[in-house]
Amino acid sequence: MRFAFAMTMVLAGLAAQNRQPPPVEPAELPADWPQRDLEAKWVAFRRATGDADGDARQKEAWAKAFAAAGELELLEWMAIYEGWRQAGPQHARLDAPALMRVAAWNLDTAD
């Protein structure tokens, strides 16, 4: 009986480890987004996500929102100041003009 219980617990633990987190959806941009200038948009992003060490899933959501809104300059800033991990794939997916510049900038950074 103890063996069956132990095996059940081990298998449940393994199943929990194999679960993938849900996909990240784009963040919802503030209602006044079109009226903001570039710096005000950056401030809204930073306020929502914290510093460069903030929640990676939250930053990925904002990177997706920037890409969907055509905010390529903000994506570039994000890749430079936050690193490649969240903004880089969006640059690559869009084949953004700054793709090579952003990739080169991130070559020697530990991300």
Side-chain angles (χ1 to χ4, degrees):
M1 183 72 153
R2 288 184 192 168
F3 178 74
F5 177 76
M7 285 305 295
T8 302
M9 295 307 292
V10 168
L11 292 174
L14 289 174
Q17 289 176 358
N18 289 331
R19 285 193 202 125
Q20 295 292 331
V24 175
E25 297 296 325
E28 187 173 324
L29 300 175
D32 66 343
W33 192 255
Q35 288 79 34
R36 293 178 184 233
D37 64 5
L38 192 62
E39 289 79 10
K41 291 175 180 180
W42 182 256
V43 169
F45 161 70
R46 284 300 216 163
R47 192 172 292 146
T49 64
D51 63 11
D53 296 324
D55 178 22
R57 289 180 59 81
Q58 182 82 0
K59 290 185 183 295
E60 184 178 348
W62 276 79
K64 287 182 175 186
F66 289 165
E71 296 285 359
L72 299 181
E73 196 166 8
L74 282 169
L75 266 178
E76 183 177 1
W77 283 15
M78 188 177 177
I80 291 170
Y81 292 106
E82 306 282 327
W84 179 264
R85 190 173 301 141
Q86 288 83 26
Q90 297 304 316
H91 277 280
R93 185 178 65 76
L94 296 171
D95 194 23
L99 175 62
M100 295 309 293
R101 180 173 50 239
V102 167
W105 181 273
N106 281 277
L107 272 178
D108 68 349
T109 60
D111 191 17

